[in-house]
Amino acid sequence: GQQLNQSPQSMFIQEGEDVSMNCTSSSIFNTWLWYKQDPGEGPVLLIALYKAGELTSNGRLTAQFGITRKDSFLNISASIPSDVGIYFCAGQNATSGTYKYIFGTGTRLKVLA
Amino acid sequence: GAVVSQHPSRVICKSGTSVKIECRSLDFQATTMFWYRQFPKQSLMLMATSNEGSKATYEQGVEKDKFLINHASLTLSTLTVTSAHPEDSSFYICSASLGNTIYFGEGSWLTVV
């Protein structure tokens, strides 16, 4: 199925560092969602974005809905060991006429204490 | 709120048998649910969109006769893997739509021996 381009694919960072990842699409989206998935579990919703230009925070996490509606960014500040996991973006295509979401390829984050 | 539960979390079945996985929205009604398959270290691949009271919409390449989906109520969708083979072994995840946001179940590990 169709997937979004998510980068970077993986990151190894030191505890306390900030992290940034993004997703880009060739299509316009009307909703962007960011999830974190721990091994062997289902993804957990972190942040939902519904308007172009929207900037939303959830604790140390901040995400933005790109003004072109074709990209989104997720930043994690002052990373801690429990931030380890796979982060996925998901976008709802505005022209698809359905509620179907397309998922990014994922960013694997490892935090070194 | 917005809790989605899957059952069973793990199942082992013999090759040639069928196995059913349930997805329930516990505290909201979901007219649309989604079923995904995830291979190790890969993103979620949408298999089908389950619509309450109507037939599921399958993604290209997904065999609808093999992966039977039933969405009989606003809180329950089921995925039945028929005549399972070892190559069907995977992590299956469901999600339920609430407004423009989707919430995931915990996932179900299927092992076909």
Side-chain angles (χ1 to χ4, degrees):
Chain A
Q2 185 180 357
Q3 288 189 324
L4 299 174
N5 183 26
Q6 185 171 347
S7 65
Q9 286 188 345
S10 62
M11 300 180 74
F12 289 79
I13 61 169
Q14 292 286 338
E15 183 178 0
E17 289 185 353
D18 297 343
V19 174
S20 184
M21 60 192 80
N22 70 83
C23 280
T24 58
S25 168
S26 57
S27 305
I28 292 174
F29 286 155
N30 57 9
T31 303
W32 283 96
L33 306 175
W34 284 93
Y35 294 87
K36 177 176 183 266
Q37 184 179 27
D38 292 326
E41 299 182 13
V44 174
L45 181 67
L46 299 174
I47 293 178
L49 303 163
Y50 303 111
K51 290 196 305 186
E54 181 180 356
L55 184 70
T56 299
S57 294
N58 178 7
R60 294 178 295 106
L61 278 63
T62 302
Q64 183 162 28
F65 193 143
I67 198 71
T68 64
R69 296 171 65 191
K70 293 184 177 182
D71 57 7
S72 180
F73 304 87
L74 175 69
N75 296 315
I76 304 173
S77 63
S79 59
I80 59 178
S82 61
D83 289 334
V84 166
I86 306 174
Y87 292 79
F88 290 104
C89 63
Q92 184 185 48
N93 191 320
T95 60
S96 70
T98 71
Y99 290 107
K100 187 167 69 175
Y101 277 84
I102 301 168
F103 281 83
T105 46
T107 296
R108 295 178 173 275
L109 177 64
K110 293 196 175 180
V111 180
L112 305 175
Chain B
V3 178
V4 178
S5 180
Q6 269 181 255
H7 178 81
S9 57
R10 290 182 180 274
V11 58
I12 300 174
C13 70
K14 290 185 177 180
S15 187
T17 63
S18 296
V19 61
K20 180 186 287 188
I21 301 170
E22 295 185 346
C23 179
R24 295 181 184 271
S25 55
L26 299 185
D27 52 359
F28 66 102
Q29 294 182 329
T31 55
T32 305
M33 292 185 175
F34 304 92
W35 286 96
Y36 307 83
R37 185 172 179 177
Q38 187 176 34
F39 292 103
K41 299 187 178 182
Q42 293 190 22
S43 186
L44 295 91
M45 298 303 298
L46 179 65
M47 297 174 66
T49 301
S50 172
N51 301 297
E52 187 267 336
S54 64
K55 291 182 179 180
T57 304
Y58 289 81
E59 294 299 298
Q60 191 172 7
V62 178
E63 299 177 60
K64 56 183 169 184
D65 293 331
K66 180 166 186 62
F67 299 99
L68 300 179
I69 291 172
N70 184 274
H71 194 155
S73 77
L74 288 171
T75 59
L76 174 65
S77 175
T78 60
L79 169 68
T80 301
V81 183
T82 63
S83 187
H85 291 285
E87 57 264 32
D88 298 325
S89 299
S90 190
F91 189 49
Y92 292 88
I93 313 175
C94 73
S95 69
S97 177
L98 178 60
N100 278 353
T101 306
I102 53 174
Y103 296 90
F104 285 88
E106 309 95 329
S108 299
W109 286 100
L110 170 63
T111 302
V112 184
V113 298

